[in-house]
Amino acid sequence: MTGLRRVEPRDLDFLESEFDSVEAAGRYGWFGFRDRGHFANRLEAGETLTVDRGVLTIVDNDDKAVGTLSWIKVFRQPPPGGGCWNLGIWIGPDHRGKGHGTEAQRLGAAYLFDHTQMERVEASTEADNIAEQRALERAGFTREGVLRRACFRGGAWRDMVMYSKLRSEEPRTE
Ligand SMILES: CC(C)(COP(=O)(O)OP(=O)(O)OC[C@H]1O[C@@H](n2cnc3c(N)ncnc32)[C@H](O)[C@@H]1OP(=O)(O)O)[C@@H](O)C(=O)NCCC(=O)NCCS
């Protein structure tokens, strides 16, 4: 089973390891090194969850960290209207392919629809990142189209595929 909870100090070593190497980040998530302290500083400053962005720890059955789910507000028209959430995800190398990515993105969209008034949660990924596209589709996101040469990674510009889920597409449990 997969869950989401606040980032806690005991998660930090694992979460910071995302920025250690291409193997840790994953080929499509490697944008170079980041200083150690990326998450520790945010946690210490009380800034893991703000009005414009957030990050939660993805956990397994034993409440052990397996990755992060993050979101940031982006605007599709001049602010203040047209805001939506853009999701990002990282699953640690030992925990990939076990369903955590799918379930975390499903839970993340539900969380954001529950606790914010946004109409749209979107996520984009490189056109070659089949695992993330499958995960988004299984999590109930709809493929919208291709953003040509929208991402620079590994010395080249890459096409991105855009997905979204709307509030009306979120199954309600109440
Ligand atoms: C991409 C990622 C989030 C997917 O999460 P995951 O927990 O590994 O994936 P899941 O177990 O939920 O599987 C999702 C689907 O992807 C498929 N999949 C998993 N690894 C795959 C791979 N290497 N190649 C092709 N498909 C793959 C699974 O089979 C499943 O599809 P299915 O239902 O058709 O069987 C995760 O692997 C990851 O964090 N990778 C590194 C960083 C990254 O790419 N982040 C996204 C950047 S936008």
Side-chain angles (χ1 to χ4, degrees):
M1 218 173 82
T2 307
L4 298 175
R5 63 158 166 73
R6 283 185 299 190
V7 174
E8 295 181 0
R10 63 187 158 123
D11 305 331
L12 291 174
D13 276 349
F14 172 70
L15 300 192
E16 305 277 3
S17 75
E18 174 181 350
F19 312 112
D20 283 353
S21 64
V22 60
E23 293 76 22
R27 178 176 158 204
Y28 300 104
W30 176 240
F31 293 91
F33 296 112
R34 277 191 182 178
D35 287 330
R36 283 254 152 195
H38 175 75
F39 288 108
N41 294 341
R42 280 176 75 179
L43 188 58
E44 194 176 354
E47 288 177 355
T48 57
L49 297 164
T50 74
V51 293
D52 293 329
R53 62 198 282 232
V55 57
L56 291 172
T57 300
I58 303 170
V59 294
D60 65 11
N61 248 348
D62 301 321
D63 198 36
K64 186 168 168 281
V66 299
T68 54
L69 184 81
S70 55
W71 59 91
I72 186 164
K73 189 186 286 183
V74 296
F75 289 92
R76 298 293 169 207
Q77 71 176 60
C84 66
W85 296 120
N86 185 285
L87 287 186
I89 188 162
W90 172 73
I91 303 290
D94 295 344
H95 308 285
R96 291 176 193 152
K98 297 177 181 171
H100 292 306
T102 299
E103 191 55 19
Q105 290 175 109
R106 189 196 313 276
L107 292 171
Y111 178 86
L112 291 168
F113 286 129
D114 269 356
H115 300 293
T116 75
Q117 294 181 15
M118 289 294 195
E119 170 67 7
R120 165 188 170 89
V121 176
E122 65 175 38
S124 57
T125 190
E126 280 184 37
D128 292 345
N129 191 348
I130 304 303
E132 172 62 349
Q133 290 170 52
R134 284 291 303 145
L136 286 167
E137 282 161 11
R138 286 180 59 201
F141 284 70
T142 297
R143 183 184 174 105
E144 295 184 323
V146 174
L147 307 177
R148 297 183 299 162
R149 298 292 185 265
C151 167
F152 186 82
R153 181 188 61 75
W157 285 96
R158 323 253 172 191
D159 291 350
M160 306 284 287
V161 187
M162 177 63 82
Y163 284 83
S164 69
K165 188 186 272 195
L166 305 182
R167 178 172 291 279
S168 57
E169 295 164 351
E170 177 62 38
R172 307 306 306 177
T173 50
E174 67 208 66

